[in-house]
Amino acid sequence: MSKFGKLKELVSSVEADADKFFNKGNAAAGTRVRKAMQELKNLAQEIRNDVTSVKNSGK
């Protein structure tokens, strides 16, 4: 569950940069958003692997 908490924190932390990029055209904020989205992708994959592992260990 700690990874899920990190995922939620990361989404919250990138919200301001997403607003700066999409609404104000700040290119540097776009770079930060792209970096955060890559981290989200990696963290989501780790969570998926953990869920699969737990699910399969019950069989």
Side-chain angles (χ1 to χ4, degrees):
M1 269 315 268
S2 68
K3 288 182 184 178
F4 191 76
K6 287 180 187 178
L7 187 84
K8 290 184 349 182
E9 285 178 27
L10 190 54
V11 169
S12 296
S13 69
V14 76
E15 188 173 1
D17 283 328
D19 178 58
K20 288 178 187 175
F21 177 71
F22 288 111
N23 296 326
K24 298 175 183 163
N26 184 327
T31 301
R32 292 189 296 271
V33 169
R34 285 175 44 88
K35 181 181 178 199
M37 290 298 110
Q38 186 64 39
E39 291 175 23
L40 280 169
K41 175 185 168 191
N42 293 336
L43 191 54
Q45 186 63 47
E46 288 177 25
I47 293 170
R48 288 188 65 202
N49 291 341
D50 290 349
V51 168
T52 300
S53 175
V54 169
K55 183 180 82 170
N56 289 340
S57 69
K59 290 183 177 180

